[in-house]
Amino acid sequence: MKEKILLIDGHSILNRTFYGLPDLTNAAGEHTNAVYGFLTILFKVMEDVAPDYMAVAFDLSAPTFRHKLFDAYKGTRKPMPEELRSQVPLMKQVLSAMGIVSLSKEGYEADDMLGTAAAAAEKAGMEAVILSGDRDLLQLVTDNITVRLPRTRQGRTTVDIFTPETVRSTYGLNPDQIVDLKALMGDSSDNIPGLPGVGEKTATAILTAYGTLENARAHLEEIKPKKAREAMAEHYDLALLSRTLARINTEAPLDIPFSDMKIGKLFTPEAYDLFVRLEFKNLLARFDEGDKPVKALPEPEIVADPALWNGIFEEAEKAEKLGFFLYMPAGIAGLALGFGEKLLYLPCGDKEEADTLAAGLRRVLAAVPACGTLRFKEQENVLQIADEGRITDAVLAAYLLDPLRSGYGYDYIASAYLDTVLPSEEEIFGGKVKPGTVPEMEKAAKAAAYTAYTGLLALDKLPGLLKEKGMDRLFSEVEMPLAYVLSEMETAGILIRKEELTRLSETLQASLAEEEKTIYDLAGEEFNIQSPKQLGTILFEKLGLPGGKKTKTGYSTAADILEKLAEYAPIADHILRYRQYAKLKSTYTDALAGYADEEGRIHTHFQQTVTATGRLSSTDPNLQNIPVRDELGKQIRKVFVPRPGCVFIDADYSQIELRVMAALSGDSKLIEAYRQARDIHAITASQVFGVPLEEVTPQLRRNAKAVNFGIIYGISSFGLSQGLSITRKEAAEYIKQYFLTYPDIKKYLDDTVARAKKEGYTTTVYGRIRPVPELSSSNFMQRSFGERVAMNSPIQGTAADIIKIAMLRVNRRLKEENLKARLLLQVHDELLLEAPKEEAEAASKLLKEEMEAAADLSVPMEVEVLTGSNWYEAH
């Protein structure tokens, strides 16, 4: 069998995968989708072809001989998007690490290098396979040279293989006629002129009849149609030039011998490190264990004998720094410790041993000056130790450094920030572990030990990285202390009245039945209201309502469409209410009781590392999303009550994001209005709509309020017109007048976007960074989204920082004054306290003072405090 060489058109395949895959970035912000797609296609073709040699050709930015012949050559091509351009050197780096040769030569194109290498390989008795998305390369096809063109069918990439017979059957021409085809018809993508007015069909007919360009010119009088004949007569020189531009040079200088293109070991340790850095986890399975770089990783030692634990704790207490992780898949299963040269795992078998581990860890953490771990808050729920500033949570640090990620596993943190490659939990366990199950000890020991080891390594790296980014104080003075406060809040929980939930659920069920009957009556038949397909058929086919948008699965029945229909079609209004009641019932009245413990308290989980702007979120259950606008939804808050002898105290920041925007923009009108405690929305209505303040109607005030808050989120005239049910022109005028009224806000927002485009991120007053990669996108919709993000993030992020600082101040002051009142919930700009009745007045005063003093801005923070016997009354 002949040896084979695989020759790849580098830019062509990168370009194809770049536009075929969603944008991907790694922890360092490097764009990686084109490289990932390239490798995926490469491995598939290699499996099919089984080549002995391989090389990848790339274009250079320098002009080629074609540019010297024709200045306008490729002159119509758009510049390469920066997100793709940055991946070209990255691709070459990956190829080099895999021992794959890159071909390029100044003055020549990648096609010339491919053609020269293919022709030389054929001459040497090899078979050549060219992989490209460029059909120009079909001119190179022979019995020994094939071209493979990837294409996408129904979302899946397949590869078409072109032999001489395939070219003939597809184009009706021989491969060597392809260059003459381009000479006649030209090529708009490369700006090759061809003959004016001659397209592919006419050019193919001419070559079928006469074979070559020269022979066609010799039979000029016979050429049809007349337009083509005249073009040939008048512009034959253009056809000759076009052929020269289109012909691939197969005699370009090829300085690299085939021996250098011999495929060796592709999956090298260097390649593994790069794949880890680029986060190509799906490709890591291709590496054998022996190919993965060997790191000096201590093997975890399992110490199962509790009699030895005290000695370990005593030794650990003497360490200068410590990595730890309390492994709790379903209660405490073990403790991992890393210090000095040791990496230990102490498994426990019962509650007594678990208590021993927790107590021993408390001792160690109180003694060691610097301790590192991951996901500390969950461990603090068990440990309940004091915040002494000794502990660094690597997850919180990694979140601040890159808040756009969806997860922060120890393997990611190790590879992204600590120059260490560790097997992931999925690799250790052979997949994801089902929550609540305890894996076998040896595997659990590895996962827990590597987590502790990452915490130990993080102590030397992450504080410095945070300082470089100006977020060291945000981490040490806000995020880490907050973990302790959130743990206290989660542990305390909030009491619910289960019987009240049951009553509400019955009320909702009755309301659902009533709405269901009304909907059936209006529709004239029964159907599944929760089926969008059936609902769409009823609304837009049977009832003939306008505005139906049909998709592959049927008509869209999204809320915005139903809201428009509800203005004149009662059935839509009832459907919206039905959905609302169904959501309230399934999400709250039926589900909340299942989260309550034996005492009837719900312990939600606050998440610090989910939102990009720094806002907290709440899960299992989400108590930040209890409805507040609908009266029936508000009733759900009645089931949340304080413990006996206590009251709820609820404090809410007034218009915190608007106040932050006023402070950040420095707009004197808005700042002065806040300092005088005037009605901001009424003032805005008066100035934007040009009416005296005393004549501002409730509707005008509502419109102004929509504009005020919309500006924070970079609202467009279209978005505002939809929200206020006005024309786009009217909405645009509202926004224009708003910025004329508050010019400094316009300048601030424009400057913020400009700075974000330059730096790639925004920052809050407290230094929190929010990357905005969308601003550099070549896609207009992505860039527009990025601009809105850039406008909003400093405002929302600063507001999120302020409420966190307020929580810390309130919690600290409650302890300093020995009050029994405690924080229970945070809902974005709202804090909920539970306080003994005799402390209510003092706690209310303290809450208001500390929240209003949490930020030192040019506008005052205003806090409204209410007290009640349930959450509904206190809000």
Side-chain angles (χ1 to χ4, degrees):
M1 290 181 65
K2 290 183 177 181
E3 289 188 305
K4 293 180 184 176
I5 184 168
L6 174 61
L7 299 165
I8 302 173
D9 188 346
H11 278 101
S12 173
I13 301 302
L14 279 174
N15 192 70
R16 179 176 191 84
T17 56
F18 174 77
Y19 288 105
L21 291 175
D23 185 31
L24 303 173
T25 56
N26 69 345
E30 295 173 292
H31 295 275
T32 60
N33 64 329
V35 176
Y36 179 80
F38 184 105
L39 291 170
T40 303
I41 291 177
L42 168 66
F43 295 147
K44 182 181 187 307
V45 172
M46 285 188 70
E47 289 168 2
D48 294 342
V49 174
D52 304 288
Y53 303 84
M54 180 161 49
V56 181
F58 290 96
D59 291 317
L60 297 176
S61 57
T64 68
F65 70 89
R66 295 180 180 86
H67 293 91
K68 294 174 182 177
L69 284 173
F70 185 52
D71 285 344
Y73 178 66
K74 292 191 175 180
T76 55
R77 286 202 175 180
K78 293 181 179 179
M80 188 184 295
E82 184 54 39
E83 303 97 313
L84 173 56
R85 184 187 301 280
S86 65
Q87 294 187 64
V88 176
L90 194 58
M91 186 74 250
K92 291 179 180 178
Q93 187 182 358
V94 170
L95 293 172
S96 176
M98 297 175 72
I100 300 172
V101 167
S102 293
L103 303 175
S104 55
K105 192 75 175 177
E106 192 166 314
Y108 297 88
E109 294 183 54
D111 287 2
D112 301 319
M113 305 310 295
L114 294 170
T116 299
E122 183 177 38
K123 190 174 180 180
M126 285 192 274
E127 288 183 22
V129 176
I130 300 173
L131 177 67
S132 174
D134 187 354
R135 293 178 181 270
D136 291 353
L137 291 159
L138 296 179
Q139 63 185 273
L140 299 174
V141 171
T142 68
D143 289 337
N144 296 304
I145 301 174
T146 58
V147 172
R148 295 191 172 216
L149 297 174
R151 68 168 174 161
T152 302
R153 295 186 182 95
Q154 297 179 338
R156 297 185 64 185
T157 298
T158 57
V159 178
D160 292 337
I161 303 172
F162 284 87
T163 62
E165 183 180 343
T166 315
V167 174
R168 282 191 289 271
S169 64
T170 303
Y171 294 96
L173 300 172
N174 293 320
D176 59 4
Q177 290 178 294
I178 295 294
V179 70
D180 281 357
L181 180 69
K182 288 296 179 80
L184 291 170
M185 63 179 279
D187 185 341
S188 59
S189 67
D190 288 341
N191 204 30
I192 296 175
L195 290 181
V198 175
E200 183 174 0
K201 187 176 179 182
T202 300
T204 301
I206 290 171
L207 291 174
T208 301
Y210 304 107
T212 65
L213 177 62
E214 288 81 1
N215 197 35
R217 180 70 175 81
H219 294 79
L220 180 63
E221 298 305 319
E222 302 170 19
I223 291 176
K224 295 178 181 178
K226 180 182 177 182
K227 189 176 181 181
R229 182 167 65 249
E230 291 174 348
M232 178 77 79
E234 295 176 22
H235 301 288
Y236 184 61
D237 58 330
L238 270 184
L240 293 175
L241 172 64
S242 297
R243 184 168 64 180
T244 303
L245 295 173
R247 177 173 282 138
I248 293 171
N249 186 338
T250 59
E251 297 180 353
L254 189 65
D255 303 329
I256 301 174
F258 285 123
S259 58
D260 287 359
M261 301 181 202
K262 184 80 174 175
I263 296 175
K265 193 178 187 66
L266 296 178
F267 300 104
T268 63
E270 294 79 14
Y272 185 85
D273 275 344
L274 259 177
F275 282 26
V276 169
R277 187 189 104 197
L278 299 176
E279 299 171 28
F280 295 162
K281 289 191 175 182
N282 292 342
L283 302 180
L284 294 179
R286 293 179 175 272
F287 291 82
D288 295 329
E289 284 302 318
D291 296 326
K292 298 176 182 180
V294 178
K295 300 283 184 180
L297 294 179
E299 188 71 19
E301 177 188 349
I302 299 175
V303 183
D305 184 356
L308 301 175
W309 291 354
N310 190 57
I312 291 171
F313 293 142
E314 287 180 351
E315 188 179 358
E317 284 178 279
K318 299 172 186 175
E320 287 299 313
K321 55 185 179 179
L322 171 89
F324 70 94
F325 185 67
L326 204 54
Y327 187 55
M328 300 183 293
I332 297 177
L335 169 65
L337 295 172
F339 56 94
E341 299 299 316
K342 295 192 173 184
L343 189 57
L344 309 170
Y345 182 70
L346 286 53
C348 64
D350 56 36
K351 187 178 184 307
E352 184 179 346
E353 290 180 359
D355 290 343
T356 300
L357 287 181
L361 180 57
R362 290 188 194 99
R363 276 173 48 197
V364 174
L365 295 180
V368 180
C371 308
T373 189
L374 280 70
R375 302 189 297 280
F376 171 67
K377 177 170 65 66
E378 285 72 15
Q379 300 172 72
E380 170 64 0
N381 287 350
V382 171
L383 294 170
Q384 297 292 291
I385 61 177
D387 176 13
E388 296 180 351
R390 300 172 185 268
I391 295 172
T392 294
D393 186 335
V395 168
L396 287 179
Y399 162 69
L400 287 180
L401 292 168
D402 182 8
L404 301 185
R405 288 191 61 82
S406 58
Y408 301 89
Y410 67 78
D411 56 315
Y412 157 73
I413 294 173
S415 64
Y417 302 109
L418 310 177
D419 301 320
T420 302
V421 177
L422 294 172
S424 67
E425 285 193 356
E426 286 80 4
E427 290 177 83
I428 292 172
F429 296 132
K432 288 193 174 182
V433 177
K434 189 177 179 182
T437 59
V438 180
E440 59 185 88
M441 186 191 299
E442 287 74 16
K443 292 180 179 179
K446 273 196 170 184
Y450 287 142
T451 305
Y453 185 63
T454 300
L456 179 63
L457 296 182
L459 293 171
D460 292 331
K461 289 283 186 78
L462 293 185
L465 292 175
L466 289 168
K467 191 164 187 176
E468 283 177 23
K469 298 288 186 181
M471 292 189 289
D472 48 327
R473 290 188 61 188
L474 182 66
F475 175 78
S476 62
E477 296 178 15
V478 179
E479 294 295 351
M480 270 309 304
L482 188 68
Y484 292 87
V485 176
L486 293 175
S487 173
E488 289 180 20
M489 293 164 65
E490 290 180 2
T491 303
I494 185 169
L495 189 64
I496 60 167
R497 286 199 184 111
K498 290 186 178 181
E499 65 280 2
E500 187 73 13
L501 269 179
T502 302
R503 187 190 63 76
L504 266 177
S505 190
E506 291 170 354
T507 300
L508 283 168
Q509 184 59 52
S511 298
L512 277 170
E514 187 178 329
E515 291 297 337
E516 184 178 67
K517 182 178 183 306
T518 302
I519 292 167
Y520 290 159
D521 289 343
L522 291 170
E525 64 176 270
E526 292 188 5
F527 63 98
N528 184 356
I529 300 171
Q530 295 186 7
S531 165
K533 187 174 182 180
Q534 291 185 36
L535 180 58
T537 302
I538 292 289
L539 295 177
F540 302 113
E541 291 185 9
K542 181 176 181 181
L543 299 180
L545 297 177
K549 295 178 183 178
K550 200 160 190 180
T551 64
K552 291 180 181 178
T553 56
Y555 292 96
S556 172
T557 59
D560 59 334
I561 291 174
L562 292 177
E563 284 166 4
K564 289 178 183 177
L565 290 176
E567 295 176 12
Y568 52 84
I571 189 172
D573 187 47
H574 288 285
I575 291 165
L576 285 168
R577 270 188 268 176
Y578 179 91
R579 286 182 178 178
Q580 182 186 21
Y581 296 153
K583 168 87 175 184
L584 290 173
K585 188 173 187 297
S586 63
T587 307
Y588 299 109
T589 60
D590 288 353
L592 283 176
Y595 289 103
D597 62 16
E598 292 178 358
E599 296 178 5
R601 300 188 80 86
I602 289 177
H603 304 269
T604 187
H605 297 277
F606 291 101
Q607 296 181 305
Q608 282 176 270
T609 61
V610 171
T611 70
T613 57
R615 273 187 161 195
L616 294 177
S617 63
S618 161
T619 59
D620 301 323
N622 181 358
L623 296 184
Q624 293 186 327
N625 207 26
I626 303 290
V628 293
R629 293 182 181 176
D630 177 76
E631 187 56 38
L632 191 52
K634 288 180 181 179
Q635 296 297 315
I636 293 173
R637 291 196 171 209
K638 286 186 176 179
V639 308
F640 293 88
V641 295
R643 65 182 187 270
C646 293
V647 293
F648 277 158
I649 305 170
D650 187 285
D652 207 334
Y653 276 116
S654 170
Q655 302 171 357
I656 186 170
E657 292 188 358
L658 264 179
R659 291 171 188 269
V660 168
M661 183 173 71
L664 293 180
S665 68
D667 190 276
S668 56
K669 285 186 180 179
L670 205 51
I671 291 171
E672 188 57 30
Y674 272 122
R675 285 178 176 171
Q676 294 180 14
R678 301 170 71 189
D679 185 335
I680 296 297
H681 301 316
I683 290 172
T684 299
S686 173
Q687 296 182 347
V688 169
F689 305 131
V691 297
L693 185 60
E694 60 275 10
E695 294 180 20
V696 171
T697 64
Q699 183 59 53
L700 284 178
R701 187 183 182 280
R702 280 194 293 272
N703 288 354
K705 183 177 180 179
V707 178
N708 269 328
F709 286 111
I711 292 298
I712 294 172
Y713 292 89
I715 198 166
S716 65
S717 57
F718 174 76
L720 186 61
S721 69
Q722 295 292 298
L724 296 180
S725 298
I726 58 177
T727 67
R728 195 166 179 174
K729 186 177 179 181
E730 287 175 307
E733 184 61 27
Y734 284 3
I735 294 172
K736 177 184 174 183
Q737 289 302 319
Y738 182 92
F739 285 135
L740 287 173
T741 302
Y742 303 119
D744 288 331
I745 291 178
K746 172 68 172 168
K747 183 178 185 304
Y748 164 73
L749 294 175
D750 289 345
D751 289 349
T752 300
V753 171
R755 189 163 53 252
K757 285 179 179 177
K758 181 181 177 182
E759 298 175 349
Y761 60 86
T762 65
T763 57
T764 69
V765 168
Y766 301 93
R768 183 183 302 276
I769 287 175
R770 201 288 193 192
V772 194
E774 297 87 355
L775 287 174
S776 60
S777 174
S778 57
N779 181 284
F780 173 78
M781 295 299 288
Q782 283 286 305
R783 286 199 309 277
S784 298
F785 171 74
E787 289 177 1
R788 293 194 296 275
V789 167
M791 292 177 196
N792 173 250
S793 293
I795 299 168
Q796 188 180 108
T798 297
D801 290 341
I802 290 171
I803 191 72
K804 287 180 174 179
I805 293 168
M807 292 170 72
L808 295 172
R809 293 176 65 100
V810 169
N811 192 65
R812 190 177 301 122
R813 179 108 173 262
L814 287 172
K815 291 180 177 178
E816 287 173 353
E817 298 191 9
N818 294 316
L819 295 177
K820 294 178 182 178
R822 54 185 177 178
L823 276 170
L824 296 188
L825 291 179
Q826 186 253 53
V827 183
H828 306 313
D829 53 3
E830 171 190 358
L831 293 182
L832 183 68
L833 257 67
E834 182 180 72
K837 291 178 181 178
E838 62 273 15
E839 291 182 2
E841 186 177 346
S844 297
K845 183 173 179 290
L846 177 155
L847 187 57
K848 183 177 176 66
E849 287 175 355
E850 295 303 327
M851 288 181 70
E852 291 183 343
D856 184 16
L857 301 177
S858 56
V859 295
M861 292 289 105
E862 186 177 307
V863 175
E864 182 181 10
V865 180
L866 293 174
T867 304
S869 59
N870 58 53
W871 194 7
Y872 176 87
E873 288 182 5
H875 188 264

